[in-house]
């Protein structure tokens, strides 16, 4: 086989469809967020970042950075092993205790990323529970889809955010079969939020495990930042809470929080937990400090929501097609892969504004968009600059405006 030819041909298709991904080469600046240095073709310039998942700016929080420095000086660079063989650092233990407490659970378990947490927890549960049936929301993230696939359990996909469809599917199955319902709270590309109370009621009716991904909510929703389940007063009804340390908490890593027995089960049987080196102690220390800080930072959560509301209003007033979103995520519809990339390029080259295009397969074809994520650190002036630039780009590319 002509291997090189194969790779090039497949990449050629991506180019033709306008779905080839290019990465912005950025250097984040300590204390400078949301401004970053952009490297391109040997040139460097400042850009204003509008699409980061460092939603609260915690990646630049001075306390978090100081904690990482301290742990680096105390412990050195790497963890030194897998959790089982010499790689459990005291910072890992403290972080797990903090996360269990955040979610009011008996125990928590950390992983090297939110992705790994989902793949490992879902594959381990689905594989282990005999005859387990898994019900997955149609819009679930790839990490959950892959975790379910690896479990080899029978899967049913229920309509997005539709408890009635879920109930219908569950009612058609063996009432005695073990069941698990897998869903998210904030869906990150549309910014909509699941009806948690209703979905959990269906789970309870059918005696199913509920597995809730709060990756785009932890730190940002609920009185202590434990997520939408906390905000909605239903956290105690969720069997497995899953989250990330990378977005609202600004560092890296993922976790689950659940009962002692369930967490111990994943710890003991989860390949993606067992057979990999644990996160560096400095990362765990940074995440620990961030979680502790964010738990008490209601002002940050309020400001974050206010920034999102303000930006949505400004975009709407300018006639730009903001998609409906009830969260901090602000998607603006373009509806075409190539135009979406062109719009993003024009923002970068002409306005020094960075918003990554979101194309298929991350979103369905025809719904390509610019996904904007205002943070507490984005000012009114920055918003006005963004809106002006978008209006100009929309006109230049003859993009569709709001109806
Ligand atoms: N779950 C959802 C819903 C996500 O959107 C993502 C990533 O964006 C993940 C899990 C993976 O989290 P992480 O970035 O920590 O690997």
């Amino acid at each position: 086989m002509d291997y090189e030819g194969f790779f090039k041909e497949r990449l050629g298709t991506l180019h033709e469809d306008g779905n080839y991904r290019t990465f912005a080469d950025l250097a984040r600046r300590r204390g400078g967020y949301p401004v970053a240095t952009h490297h391109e073709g040997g040139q460097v310039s400042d850009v204003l970042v509008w699409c980061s998942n460092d939603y609260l700016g915690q990646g630049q929080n001075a306390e978090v950075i100081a904690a990482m420095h301290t742990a680096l000086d105390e412990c050195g660079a790497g963890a030194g092993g897998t959790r089982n063989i010499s790689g459990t650092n005291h910072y890992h233990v403290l972080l797990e205790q903090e996360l269990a407490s955040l979610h009011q659970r008996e125990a928590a378990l950390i992983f090297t990323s939110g992705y790994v947490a989902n793949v490992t927890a879902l594959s381990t549960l689905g594989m282990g529970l005999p005859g387990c049936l898994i019900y997955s929301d149609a819009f679930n993230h790839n990490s959950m889809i892959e975790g379910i696939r690896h479990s080899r359990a029978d899967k049913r996909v229920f309509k997005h955010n539709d408890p009635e469809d879920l109930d219908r599917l569950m009612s058609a199955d063996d009432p005695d079969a073990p069941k698990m319902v897998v869903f998210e709270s904030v869906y990150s590309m549309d910014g909509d939020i699941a009806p948690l109370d209703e979905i959990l009621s269906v789970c309870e009716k059918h005696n199913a495990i509920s597995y809730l991904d709060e990756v785009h909510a932890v730190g940002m929703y609920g009185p202590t930042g434990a997520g939408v389940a906390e905000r909605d007063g239903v956290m105690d009804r969720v069997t497995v809470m899953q989250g990330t340390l990378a977005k609202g908490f600004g560092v890296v890593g993922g976790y689950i929080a659940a009962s002692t027995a369930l967490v111990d089960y994943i710890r003991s049987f989860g390949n993606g937990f067992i057979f990999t080196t644990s996160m560096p102690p400095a990362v765990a220390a940074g995440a620990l400090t961030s979680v502790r800080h964010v738990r008490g930072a209601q002002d940050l959560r309020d400001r974050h929501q206010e920034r999102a509301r303000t930006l949505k209003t400004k975009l709407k007033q300018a006639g730009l097609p903001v998609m409906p979103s009830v969260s901090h995520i602000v998607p603006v519809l373009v509806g075409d892969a190539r135009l979406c990339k062109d719009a993003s390029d024009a923002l970068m080259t002409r306005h020094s504004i960075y918003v990554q295009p979101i194309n298929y397969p991350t979103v369905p074809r025809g719904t390509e968009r610019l996904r904007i994520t205002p943070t507490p650190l984005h000012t009114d002036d920055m918003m006005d600059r963004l809106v002006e630039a978008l209006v100009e780009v929309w006109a230049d590319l003859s993009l569709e405006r709001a109806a």
Side-chain angles (χ1 to χ4, degrees), residues 76-159:
T82 62
R83 285 294 294 273
N84 186 39
I85 308 175
S86 154
T88 293
N89 191 277
H90 192 50
Y91 282 117
H92 297 141
V93 177
L94 293 177
L95 177 55
E96 287 174 344
Q97 286 168 356
E98 188 71 27
L99 291 166
S101 153
L102 172 71
H103 291 292
Q104 295 165 28
R105 289 296 114 131
E106 288 170 351
L109 196 67
I110 52 171
F111 300 80
T112 44
S113 72
Y115 194 101
V116 174
N118 272 339
V119 170
T120 306
L122 289 169
S123 62
T124 309
L125 289 169
M127 203 179 296
L129 291 162
C132 182
L133 300 172
I134 300 184
Y135 304 83
S136 175
D137 185 284
F139 284 14
N140 272 344
H141 184 255
N142 175 273
S143 55
M144 304 162 91
I145 296 168
E146 284 299 311
I148 295 167
R149 198 164 68 84
H150 281 282
S151 78
R152 300 202 198 96
D154 271 349
K155 172 173 99 164
R156 328 263 188 251
V157 176
F158 63 96
K159 286 186 197 146

Side-chain angles (χ1 to χ4, degrees), residues 58 63-65 67-68 71 91 249 251 281-291:
Q58 282 295 104
E63 281 175 45
V64 173
I65 297 168
M68 294 185 77
Y91 282 117
F249 297 126
V251 189
V283 170
L288 174 64
T289 301
S290 184
V291 174

Side-chain angles (χ1 to χ4, degrees), residues 53 113-115 118 141 143 184 188 213 215-216 242 244 246-247 253:
N53 279 344
S113 72
Y115 194 101
N118 272 339
H141 184 255
S143 55
E184 302 177 25
S188 69
D213 176 319
V215 157
H216 293 276
Q242 186 272 353
T244 185
K247 302 181 199 296

Side-chain angles (χ1 to χ4, degrees), residues 190-209:
D190 293 309
D192 56 338
I193 294 184
L196 297 188
D197 179 25
E198 288 88 337
I199 293 179
L200 290 169
S201 295
V202 178
C203 294
E204 285 152 4
K205 176 178 166 192
H206 296 278
N207 189 29
I209 285 178

Side-chain angles (χ1 to χ4, degrees), residues 16 168 240 250 262 281 309 317 325 365:
E16 274 162 34
R168 186 185 62 77
V240 184
L262 192 149
R309 272 195 309 274
Q317 282 168 350
S325 156
R365 287 194 170 91

Side-chain angles (χ1 to χ4, degrees), residues 320 334 339-351 353 370 386-401:
L320 291 158
V334 178
L339 288 172
C340 198
K341 171 90 172 69
D342 289 348
S344 167
D345 287 347
L347 286 171
M348 184 71 116
T349 53
R350 280 194 252 139
H351 301 276
I353 283 174
L370 298 177
L386 171 72
V387 173
E388 249 174 62
L390 284 168
V391 166
E392 199 182 302
V393 167
W394 244 249
D396 286 350
L397 296 175
S398 306
L399 299 178
E400 199 127 337
R401 295 172 66 86

